[in-house]
Amino acid sequence: MFYLKSPLFHCPLVELQLSKRNFDLTWLCTAPSITTYRVNLLQTTTECYKDYVENLLKGRYKSSPKIYTLSDLPEVLCIGSVSTPETLKPSMIEQREIIVDDCCGAAVLRGAHIYAVGVLAMESGTKLHDIVNVYADLTGKCKKGTNIRFESDKKLYLGQGRVLMQRYQLFGASGAKTGIAVEMLNTVSSVPSIGDLSSAKALLQNLPSIVCVRVLNPQKNEIILDMCAAPGNKTTHIAELMEDKGVILALDKTVNRIALIEEKIKKYNLNSINVYAYDATKSFNGKLNSESSNEIKPPFKAETFDRVLLDAPCSGLGNRPILVVKTTAKMLDSYPKIQRKLVSNAVALLKPGGCLVYSTCSINTSENEEIVAWALAKHSNLELKEAVPIFGSRALPCQGLTERQRDMLQRFSPDTKKFDTVGFFIAKFVKKPI
């Protein structure tokens, strides 16, 4: 059986570059052992939502996974792993196979069921409610609609599922293209296969993303900028912590992604968020002054915001599990240039004494520690603050950062002992008063 050791087998130069920095690439291929939901405390309580999840899991598993809360993050509900059957391996020749793409495969390892759009191949003769072995094609060579067993030395076994749609429904000219095609029963990752339970009461969200907004520490009646806001998970979290009292400006340059934020605002019935399709690298206009219009819309004049969240565009080399990465060294080097532009805009837009939180979902030091060192050298009015509450590990060694500064940063990586989650990085700055 094929075991994935690196998601970068298509791009050996990048793999070599990251390996030289001692990154554990195998860790990126595995799913986090905890699943986290952010409970909307404006709608319900964590205990009520915990009761709901416990009842759901009791009906699905003989031995339910551990479900627990975190005292420092009262809006978080954690779900642990389930016991994976020792017999969970593709040894039964009589079982037919389903092939999915790598994106769908990663979602399955995080607990998702398989939607119709993710199915690449289903063997002829597969019947409704059959138990099937599920694989992910990591080569990209499996053609949509394949009806024979797909043979490859790079197909990754994911687990077993129950068929809910037949071939004609998946691949027919007038067949359904939406809905769950295969209900996952168990996976090799041991993550509970429960799908996404997100609703107006709670949202499936990675733990570091939740911690990130807590580090920002938004307060009621403040004016806050979320520079790269889509899909809106952190934006809505900010609004909830502010009890929907204040002004939040959410930017994203892609119109389609803006629609995702607007959908969440409507779903959660929030009034404090104003959304704009705008390039955040151009969000500061130095020509505007105190005599300019007081209407808060992009581009903004200097010192407009009490707090700025910059969850920067990044390589995404932290979104576990990553099964396939197709990038180049040139693409990897392009992210820090954009991140620096965004940081400079954020500093200009921040009020004296205001707070800037910078984050990425990448393990790459050039997008994290090196950006912090650059920001402190470039902007003398920035001061690094401890990124509390701390759930991650200290930052990696970096030229320009002291040992004390490494302690003030927060990195989620293989050495984060308490929480096995995605790769992430958080830094907190304060703009010094004049």
Side-chain angles (χ1 to χ4, degrees):
M1 187 163 61
F2 172 69
Y3 293 94
L4 186 61
K5 296 181 179 179
S6 166
L8 294 155
F9 56 88
H10 286 297
C11 32
L13 291 179
V14 176
E15 185 176 48
L16 179 62
Q17 182 179 336
L18 293 177
S19 296
K20 285 180 178 178
R21 298 174 186 174
N22 297 318
F23 288 129
D24 184 354
L25 299 180
T26 303
W27 180 76
L28 290 178
C29 304
T30 61
S33 60
I34 61 167
T35 302
T36 48
Y37 279 85
R38 192 194 87 225
V39 178
N40 183 353
L41 299 181
L42 300 181
Q43 299 282 343
T44 186
T45 66
T46 310
E47 284 303 316
C48 284
Y49 195 74
K50 181 182 177 185
D51 290 341
Y52 162 71
V53 175
E54 283 180 337
N55 289 332
L56 186 149
L57 290 173
K58 283 177 183 176
R60 187 170 182 83
Y61 295 101
K62 292 181 179 179
S63 178
S64 295
K66 181 182 178 182
I67 303 176
Y68 55 99
T69 56
L70 303 172
S71 58
D72 290 339
L73 296 174
E75 67 271 39
V76 173
L77 185 69
C78 301
I79 306 173
S81 300
V82 294
S83 299
T84 303
E86 294 181 4
T87 55
L88 185 57
K89 53 186 178 181
S91 58
M92 300 173 66
I93 301 300
E94 65 270 20
Q95 282 191 346
R96 288 184 165 83
E97 295 181 3
I98 297 285
I99 306 294
V100 301
D101 59 41
D102 61 278
C103 290
C104 179
V108 165
L109 293 176
R110 288 297 302 268
H113 298 304
I114 299 173
Y115 284 80
V117 68
V119 180
L120 295 176
M122 176 183 282
E123 291 184 78
S124 294
T126 303
K127 299 176 183 177
L128 206 61
H129 305 308
D130 274 357
I131 305 300
V132 291
N133 291 315
V134 179
Y135 291 85
D137 169 34
L138 305 186
T139 65
K141 295 180 179 180
C142 181
K143 294 181 179 180
K144 188 85 170 181
T146 297
N147 63 356
I148 59 175
R149 182 161 294 194
F150 176 69
E151 300 296 344
S152 171
D153 62 350
K154 283 189 174 63
K155 65 177 184 181
L156 183 70
Y157 181 60
L158 304 175
Q160 295 176 329
R162 179 183 290 110
V163 174
L164 300 183
M165 286 187 186
Q166 295 177 282
R167 281 192 54 82
Y168 76 92
Q169 294 173 290
L170 294 169
F171 308 120
S174 59
K177 301 298 180 184
T178 60
I180 296 176
V182 180
E183 177 193 17
M184 292 304 298
L185 302 176
N186 43 52
T187 64
V188 293
S189 65
S190 300
V191 174
S193 297
I194 54 177
D196 186 352
L197 306 179
S198 294
S199 65
K201 293 183 177 180
L203 176 73
L204 179 64
Q205 189 175 8
N206 290 320
L207 178 65
S209 295
I210 301 170
V211 173
C212 182
V213 174
R214 278 291 181 173
V215 172
L216 184 69
N217 192 28
Q219 302 296 311
K220 287 189 291 185
N221 302 317
E222 289 185 328
I223 304 173
I224 295 179
L225 175 63
D226 189 348
M227 293 188 78
C228 305
N233 295 347
K234 296 182 186 70
T235 318
T236 54
H237 191 195
I238 293 170
E240 289 165 19
L241 292 181
M242 294 170 68
E243 297 180 17
D244 204 23
K245 296 174 182 177
V247 178
I248 302 167
L249 277 295
L251 307 184
D252 203 278
K253 68 178 182 179
T254 307
V255 174
N256 290 342
R257 286 169 62 79
I258 284 292
L260 298 174
I261 307 174
E262 292 174 333
E263 183 181 325
K264 285 188 172 69
I265 293 171
K266 184 177 179 180
K267 184 177 182 179
Y268 303 143
N269 193 28
L270 297 168
N271 300 306
S272 57
I273 305 170
N274 298 312
V275 185
Y276 293 93
Y278 202 87
D279 184 351
T281 63
K282 302 173 182 177
S283 55
F284 168 60
N285 186 342
K287 296 179 181 180
L288 300 176
N289 54 44
S290 58
E291 297 177 359
S292 303
S293 171
N294 287 324
E295 184 179 2
I296 306 176
K297 63 178 183 179
F300 309 107
K301 56 189 174 184
E303 301 180 356
T304 296
F305 297 97
D306 298 293
R307 298 175 198 268
V308 175
L309 174 62
L310 173 50
D311 186 44
C314 68
S315 62
L317 292 175
N319 285 318
R320 301 170 63 210
I322 308 175
L323 303 186
V324 177
V325 173
K326 293 181 181 179
T327 190
T328 63
K330 185 177 180 180
M331 289 170 62
L332 202 61
D333 291 341
S334 70
Y335 290 106
K337 297 174 184 176
I338 299 170
Q339 290 156 356
R340 290 186 186 113
K341 284 184 181 180
L342 290 166
V343 168
S344 292
N345 273 261
V347 174
L349 294 175
L350 199 60
K351 294 177 182 179
C355 168
L356 164 64
V357 169
Y358 173 85
S359 66
T360 75
C361 55
S362 175
I363 62 169
N364 195 7
T365 52
S366 65
E367 302 176 70
N368 298 325
E369 287 88 350
E370 290 178 25
I371 292 292
V372 172
W374 170 86
L376 293 172
K378 176 72 174 179
H379 300 282
S380 58
N381 56 347
L382 276 188
E383 182 180 0
L384 195 63
K385 293 291 184 179
E386 193 171 23
V388 292
I390 295 176
F391 284 81
S393 306
R394 71 196 303 248
L396 296 177
C398 174
Q399 185 176 358
L401 294 180
T402 66
E403 292 298 304
R404 172 58 185 148
Q405 287 172 329
R406 286 177 60 196
D407 288 334
M408 298 168 81
L409 301 168
Q410 192 167 177
R411 171 183 274 269
F412 293 82
S413 55
D415 64 341
T416 304
K417 297 178 175 59
K418 191 173 181 181
F419 295 100
D420 178 33
T421 181
V422 298
F424 208 86
F425 178 86
I426 306 173
K428 181 177 181 177
F429 304 92
V430 167
K431 187 174 181 178
K432 299 175 187 176
I434 298 173

